[in-house]
Amino acid sequence: MSDRSGSLRALPAVDRLADAVLAGDPAVTHAEATAAARAVLAERRVRLLAGERDDADLVALARAHLTPPLRRVLNGTGVIVHTNLGRAPLSADARDAVRAASSGYANVELDLGGGRRGSRDAHTRALLCELTGAEDGFAVNNGAGAALLALAALAGDGRAVAVSRGQLVEIGGGFRIPDVLAQAGARIVEVGTTNRTRREDYERAIGGQGAELILRVHQSNFRTVGFVEEVPIAQLCGLGVPVIDDVGSGALAGALPRLADEPDVRASLAAGATLVCFSGDKLLGGPQAGLLVGRSDAVERARRHPLARALRIGRLPLAALVATLAMYRDPERARREIPVLAMLERPREALAAAARRLAEAGGGEVVDAIGRVGGGALPLLELDGPAAALAPAGWRAEQLAEALRRADTPLLSRIFDGRVLVDPRTLDAEEVREAEGVIAATIAAGPPAPAPGP
Ligand SMILES: *Cc1c(COP(=O)(O)O)cnc(C)c1O
């Protein structure tokens, strides 16, 4: 008989493996241990039948199978709006609001005064109007959804939409403006050139090519520099057709010099934009959400469009969003307490002190590093500040970065110049303490044994 069937026969019975899993962890129930044992045994069988050699410890695999796949991590990358790490961390207020709204029921669609059915939008409408100067507004599931819905509502009947060739961008995850227009049911009229688009180009699109709408899209994750020209929003709004302005990130805090490059929602509306859309979890610093604000007739059309139901925001993000927006009533408080805004302005001395502690935990040194905003915002902005550079003896940088990622509380770092950098900009005070612990314990455990030679 083949070696293969031999190793198959050597696999433990489900119950025996489940008992071994149970023995190590009193929090696991019998049914959970059995499910995990079954899953890893099935996987092992497939591998063995495929002729692969696999002798990883089944008990450890089954335990790993039971650890939740989505976990809290420590972001030591220095990238503030890190899409792979869930973008914006929430403020304390927003976290409290989520806890409250998830602890039982919540009046998501109930008017408590009248006791009648209410609208999910009622929670955000007044705040959005107050903060942006819009006549009306509401939230959907994400920024991409907001842009799609705005286009579908105002141009989904096949209308021609003028878009500058310099703004036909891909945001990431396959979100490409020409495709979004097509999905929305609109027809695209490309205007101008990649680097220069002028007012006359738009006028020709409207007069000669029948464009009935203008879409402006913030370039977000790239910049054209040098011999460039775009038409300011105020001029676009004077061309006699409705303008949808997808500003991307939605800077609402004002007066943050580092955000001066981001288009301002309030300014777009004041200039006369019909609908402005932006993300909730980029520089707004809230949960994943997309916001649509603007003229009441246009917002109402978006609200009544069938896609609105498919894109509606969930109860927990809604709670976090309302709490986040409310903080902007006091812009100074927003800048202090909304994590992404606070991280942008973290004082150098505080960063230096944290970097020193992180460096000491790993026997490294403090270096000057460059952080990023990330999340498709401000691609050229470099946030320079001190970071801890770790290069303990016996470790390769990739090995250490991996070991830190595999810690009980994973710590994400970046590798620069053969060393592991841990950037304190994206860690709060408590997280710096946790990161110190992770670094010290990981290095104390030693580098992984070298793989056996061939
Ligand atoms: C990020 C972005 C989007 C998509 O928003 P998500 O919140 O990522 O869905 C759409 N348009 C622009 C201009 C963006 O920058």
Side-chain angles (χ1 to χ4, degrees):
M1 267 316 277
S2 73
D3 197 32
R4 212 177 282 176
S5 57
S7 39
L8 275 174
R9 251 181 281 122
L11 287 177
V14 170
D15 286 345
R16 204 158 60 87
L17 180 54
D19 284 344
V21 173
L22 270 175
D25 190 347
V28 172
T29 69
H30 188 268
E32 287 163 351
T34 306
R38 215 170 254 135
V40 298
L41 283 169
E43 243 171 71
R44 175 63 54 89
R45 235 173 260 121
V46 170
R47 283 169 164 275
L48 292 176
L49 285 171
E52 288 174 43
R53 232 186 81 181
D54 181 355
D55 21 76
D57 179 33
L58 284 167
V59 178
L61 285 175
R63 284 205 186 114
H65 189 85
L66 290 174
T67 57
L70 183 65
R71 292 155 72 192
R72 187 173 79 92
V73 304
L74 301 168
N75 177 7
T77 65
V79 179
I80 296 178
V81 182
H82 201 307
T83 298
N84 300 149
L85 302 182
R87 289 204 181 151
L90 295 178
S91 66
D93 276 22
R95 296 198 304 265
D96 288 346
V98 171
R99 205 168 302 119
S102 59
S103 306
Y105 299 97
N107 64 324
V108 178
E109 291 183 0
L110 185 81
D111 163 15
L112 287 175
R116 279 184 303 273
R117 178 162 186 194
S119 157
R120 187 172 294 246
D121 299 346
H123 305 281
T124 41
R125 181 181 191 167
L127 263 169
L128 284 171
C129 294
E130 182 186 327
L131 296 171
T132 67
E135 292 174 5
D136 195 359
F138 69 106
V140 294
N141 177 46
N142 61 15
L148 176 68
L149 181 55
L151 283 163
L154 301 192
D157 51 2
R159 260 166 231 252
V161 179
V163 194
S164 164
R165 290 196 167 92
Q167 297 171 9
L168 293 176
V169 302
E170 172 173 317
I171 303 298
F175 186 82
R176 299 174 136 193
I177 294 302
D179 299 345
V180 174
L181 276 151
Q183 281 297 323
R187 201 153 54 75
I188 190 167
V189 176
E190 297 185 8
V191 177
T193 64
T194 307
N195 56 327
R196 306 196 95 187
T197 302
R198 287 187 274 277
R199 183 195 167 103
E200 302 83 78
D201 299 321
Y202 282 102
E203 284 169 345
R204 216 170 306 121
I206 294 165
Q209 294 168 274
E212 293 182 76
L213 210 96
I214 293 170
L215 170 67
R216 185 179 83 144
V217 184
H218 182 42
Q219 285 186 335
S220 304
N221 48 13
F222 82 108
R223 292 290 180 270
T224 37
V225 294
F227 191 56
V228 296
E229 187 174 345
E230 281 285 3
V231 183
I233 185 74
Q235 278 190 33
L236 292 181
C237 293
L239 293 174
V241 297
V243 175
I244 297 176
D245 194 8
D246 180 6
V247 296
S249 180
L252 287 185
L256 267 187
R258 287 188 143 148
L259 300 188
D261 235 20
E262 286 290 301
D264 183 74
V265 175
R266 192 174 260 282
S268 272
L269 290 165
T274 307
L275 278 181
V276 178
C277 29
F278 54 103
S279 260
D281 54 353
K282 294 182 180 171
L283 290 167
L284 192 74
Q288 182 187 302
L291 294 123
L292 271 161
V293 293
R295 294 241 315 269
S296 39
D297 54 335
V299 172
E300 191 54 27
R301 273 173 73 172
R303 190 180 275 128
R304 291 187 184 286
H305 192 280
L307 265 179
R309 174 63 175 77
L311 293 168
R312 82 176 179 191
I313 188 168
R315 161 163 66 139
L316 305 188
L318 179 63
L321 179 65
V322 173
T324 305
L325 287 172
M327 294 174 83
Y328 280 94
R329 284 178 168 143
D330 178 351
E332 209 170 297
R333 179 166 172 233
R335 294 196 288 267
R336 200 173 53 238
E337 295 182 23
I338 292 179
V340 295
L341 300 181
M343 286 173 187
L344 278 172
E345 299 297 328
R346 207 158 262 178
R348 201 175 169 90
E349 313 80 69
L351 289 173
R356 222 172 300 123
R357 293 176 47 177
L358 293 165
E360 272 163 24
E365 59 169 341
V366 175
V367 296
D368 246 316
I370 305 287
R372 296 273 174 197
V373 172
L378 298 167
L380 304 185
L381 180 63
E382 299 188 330
L383 301 165
D384 61 317
L390 309 174
W395 291 81
R396 282 185 295 106
E398 291 75 14
Q399 281 179 328
L400 180 57
E402 179 182 345
L404 294 172
R405 276 201 313 274
R406 289 181 182 276
D408 284 342
T409 305
L411 169 61
L412 280 296
S413 59
R414 67 181 198 274
I415 295 174
F416 184 74
D417 228 4
R419 295 194 285 189
V420 169
L421 291 195
V422 181
D423 193 324
R425 184 180 292 278
T426 40
L427 299 166
D428 68 20
E430 176 53 34
E431 289 171 329
V432 168
R433 270 189 291 278
E434 287 183 81
E436 280 178 64
V438 170
I439 291 168
T442 302
I443 293 176

